[in-house]
Amino acid sequence: MLAAFTFNSTENLPVGLLADVSRDLRVPLAAVGYLVTGYGLTVAVFSLPLARATRAVPHRHVLGGVLTVLVAASLASALAGSYGVLLAARLATALAQALFWAVMGPAAVGLFPPSRRGRVIGLLSVGGSLATALGVPAGTWLGRHAGWQAPFAVLTVLGATALVLVAACLPVSRPGTGHAAYGAAPDRRAFAVVLATTALSGTGAYTGFTYIETFLTHVSGFSGAAVSPLLFVFGVAALAGIAAAGPLLDRLPWTMLAVPVALQTAAMLGLWAAGGVRWVTVVMLALLGLAVAPVVMAAQALVLRVAPGRTETAVAANSAAFNTGVALGALTGGLTLPLVAVRGTFLVGALATAVALVLLSPAVRGTPPRVGAEPSGG
């Protein structure tokens, strides 16, 4: 959970500090936004190859390796004095994260009985969601007061702590053994639906959210000092969504994916339509937080259920799909920014999310038929 918190905080930190990094490194705002694009593309491209290359390596060793890279790259980011150095550090962190997400779920789920898969994923998601609720807002506040490099220094310490804990406490197990190594109810069609939903919802969310700082200050009229508290609202709502959906993942896996996708669509439409009204912005931002985190959590829980092969590979594919969405979203937002302004990026994002909802609806109505099957064995 601590490692998930650190990785998610590192990934999303530039969202709250776009203007500061742009001003300090003397690069365009869109170039800083492309730090998110490059990060997502790296994870998308390398998740599957790295997962396959390390299939025979015990999870503790893999996690120790990726956390070592995280610590080194975070330190490099804290010391970065140029855009090139920061970009290189971001790409190194993305490589580590590509493998981290592939291994984290199966490693944790394997420590518990099969019937608790959904609840374990829900608990892991708390760590990731705390990054949104606390890590990014706190990092934004610290960056504004002590320089944008300061949050990366803190993340270096947190990553080192997670590294020590994993190295000391996680048991070594032979890869490919135990119930967590394979899906409980393998189904290729269901797996494809989850991947498509993950990619489209990620694209929709990050088309607008990558530029949320600019939206809040230029469209809604909030001051720069209000950005951090507003991101905190988003994060607290994300935690609430995780807490509400987590206990239901084992019983209602498809519903717990469809409902937040629908909420995400509504929230982004609301921000586009009424983003100039401050109280509406706050409500819609909270609704977006309530939706985005459970989408990721429910998709991962479903992948562990319907994986057609090894779960590490399946989770890596889902991570690649999500980060493809993140990269496409940030890229789409950057490309459409001059055409539709920052407000219009939320409309574009809402349309992409709505497509995900359309693709998902047949599964919610009962197809593919085998997805709801109970595990047939260990």
Side-chain angles (χ1 to χ4, degrees):
M1 289 174 68
L2 178 60
F5 172 85
T6 308
F7 266 114
N8 271 17
S9 296
T10 303
E11 179 179 11
N12 293 298
L13 188 58
V15 171
L17 296 171
L18 287 182
D20 299 85
V21 177
S22 173
R23 182 170 52 252
D24 186 49
L25 298 183
R26 298 178 182 178
V27 294
L29 192 68
V32 185
Y34 292 150
L35 289 174
V36 180
T37 305
Y39 197 107
L41 280 175
T42 302
V43 176
V45 170
F46 288 97
S47 287
L48 274 172
L50 289 175
R52 287 172 176 162
T54 58
R55 288 177 64 179
V57 182
H59 290 158
R60 188 174 79 173
H61 299 162
V62 174
L63 290 173
V66 299
L67 285 168
T68 299
V69 175
L70 171 65
V71 171
S74 297
L75 181 60
S77 298
L79 300 175
S82 68
Y83 181 80
V85 172
L86 181 60
L87 177 61
R90 294 280 298 173
L91 295 180
T93 307
L95 284 172
Q97 183 162 327
L99 189 51
F100 172 76
W101 290 121
V103 174
M104 178 195 71
V109 166
L111 301 173
F112 298 88
S115 60
R116 298 184 182 177
R117 284 190 175 194
R119 277 171 284 180
V120 172
I121 293 299
L123 288 172
L124 285 175
S125 297
V126 170
S129 296
L130 278 173
T132 307
L134 297 177
V136 175
T140 301
W141 180 87
L142 180 61
R144 290 187 180 279
H145 289 80
W148 62 264
Q149 295 96 336
F152 287 103
V154 175
L155 291 170
T156 302
V157 175
L158 294 178
T161 304
L163 171 59
V164 171
L165 290 172
V166 165
C169 301
L170 191 68
V172 177
S173 58
R174 189 161 58 90
T177 61
H179 70 86
Y182 298 94
D187 191 314
R188 291 186 180 277
R189 184 169 57 173
F191 182 61
V193 169
V194 176
L195 293 187
T197 301
T198 297
L200 285 166
S201 63
T203 299
Y206 277 84
T207 295
F209 193 73
T210 300
Y211 299 94
I212 189 65
E213 179 192 23
T214 305
F215 180 91
L216 293 173
T217 54
H218 288 67
V219 176
S220 302
F222 289 102
S223 67
V227 172
S228 183
L230 288 168
L231 290 178
F232 180 73
V233 170
F234 176 89
V236 169
L239 278 177
I242 292 291
L248 300 174
L249 287 177
D250 291 310
R251 288 187 291 145
L252 301 169
W254 286 105
T255 301
M256 289 302 101
L257 181 58
V259 169
V261 169
L263 292 178
Q264 179 179 314
T265 305
M268 299 197 76
L269 284 173
L271 286 168
W272 165 72
V277 182
R278 292 186 182 184
W279 72 265
V280 174
T281 297
V282 174
V283 172
M284 291 297 106
L285 191 62
L287 185 62
L288 186 61
L290 194 69
V292 170
V295 169
V296 178
M297 176 184 68
Q300 186 166 359
L302 270 167
V303 161
L304 288 174
R305 177 186 289 259
V306 302
R310 282 278 293 272
T311 52
E312 293 99 334
T313 304
V315 172
N318 190 59
S319 179
F322 176 72
N323 283 280
T324 297
V326 171
L328 287 176
L331 179 61
T332 301
L335 292 175
T336 57
L337 200 59
L339 303 175
V340 298
V342 67
R343 188 170 190 163
T345 61
F346 283 85
L347 174 60
V348 176
L351 295 176
T353 311
V355 174
L357 188 61
V358 172
L359 292 178
L360 187 60
S361 57
V364 178
R365 292 196 300 268
T367 56
R370 295 191 301 166
V371 173
E374 292 299 319
S376 57

